[in-house]
Amino acid sequence: MKVIFMGTPDYASRILETLIAQHDIEVVAAYTQPDKPVGRKKVLTPPPVKTVAEAAGIPVFQPERLRDEATVETLQAIPCDYIVVAAYGQILPKAVLAHAPCINLHASILPQYRGASPIQQSLLNGDKETGVTAMLMEEGLDTGPILATRRIAIGDDETVGSLFERLTDLAADMTPEVLRSYSTLTPVPQNDADASLCKKISKADGEVAFDDARTLYNKYRAFTPWPGVYLSGGLKLTKMHLAEEEGSFVPGRILAVEKSQVKIGCSTGALWIETVQPPSKKAMAVIDYLNGKRLGLDDTLA
């Protein structure tokens, strides 16, 4: 079968690699976002999907706007059986949706967490499970009928990095299966009453206060390594774990000091913090930070 692939980040590139490896699937074109400047030197860098596609000799298209008439006409001239979409970053217009069945691999159990940050949102909410949904696309944002769902448990201390890896593997494994069994699948409409949305993560989302320990810890799980969690003064909390979910303490007060960690009180609960990163400096052991600031028991971490 012939497939047009649309995607941009690592999540998508791993799915593309799996499709390329299949003996009965031919990826005839890859659509991805334009190259972007990265880092302080603003080096123009291709998205991971482009790198994988070019290495496999697959034609790559990087339109600024998928909706442009010329772009749509070019795509329509490419014969295919399916269009597979994974974190592409653009809305597909009607003309593209009509070209072939468009199957999206979304990293949540739809209709939960439609939108840009489903993996982070599952951690923010302290969910016990998540998964990947293969969905037949329509014009709405992640609103199309469901073709298949795979579920996995979320570890109590799991962070976005490990969860991302496991969901990527899950999506990559299920994509060829969905394509091969497509003719036998019955698309199931989503229940919009159960739907929830999640937004694109910004740097500002990482600012935290010592209010609720569980909430702060879930933000740490969701936002490490980017944008990280940091106090209003700029101190980043780079390694922590939950100490207590109950009890009321002075926010930020140092409750205990051990060899490699300190216990910090929150309005509700407490956290063990192991490493921190002051503004414009490298991450360091929290004990070294306390010594440098001459802080100890009953002082406030800030």
Side-chain angles (χ1 to χ4, degrees), residues 219-237:
K219 286 186 177 183
Y220 163 79
R221 296 167 65 205
F223 296 152
T224 298
W226 192 89
V229 291
Y230 55 90
L231 304 178
S232 59
L235 181 67
K236 185 175 283 189
L237 312 176

Side-chain angles (χ1 to χ4, degrees), residues 7-17 47-49 52 86-87 164-165 168:
T8 299
D10 287 329
Y11 171 75
S13 70
R14 295 258 291 277
I15 297 173
L16 176 58
E17 286 175 334
V49 161
V52 170
F164 172 90
E165 289 293 322
T168 299

